[in-house]
Amino acid sequence: MQAQVEIGYDQLVKLVKQLPKKQWTQLKSEVEKNEVLTDTQSDMLTLLLNGPTFSKKQLNEIAKARKEINQWRTK
């Protein structure tokens, strides 16, 4: 069973400052781990969106090659 509590930012900061050093370190590493995942996902998205694409000429050449290969295979 889970309970959800809404805590204001100031309250959250106050609670975090009260954590023992060991728990603070654990919390900090968890937050940083999530930031790394988000950055990695963002980097991958940027790479995919800005990556190279085929020109219409290249797509036509690929389609032609596929057609020729399919004709060759059916002989």
Side-chain angles (χ1 to χ4, degrees), residues 45-75:
L45 182 61
T46 302
L47 174 68
L48 291 173
L49 292 175
N50 295 328
T53 57
F54 287 113
S55 66
K56 289 196 182 259
K57 181 180 177 184
Q58 290 171 320
L59 290 172
N60 288 336
E61 289 176 12
I62 292 169
K64 183 180 173 184
R66 283 183 181 161
K67 184 177 178 182
E68 290 174 0
I69 290 171
N70 285 336
Q71 287 176 349
W72 173 76
R73 286 180 41 206
T74 57
K75 287 184 181 180

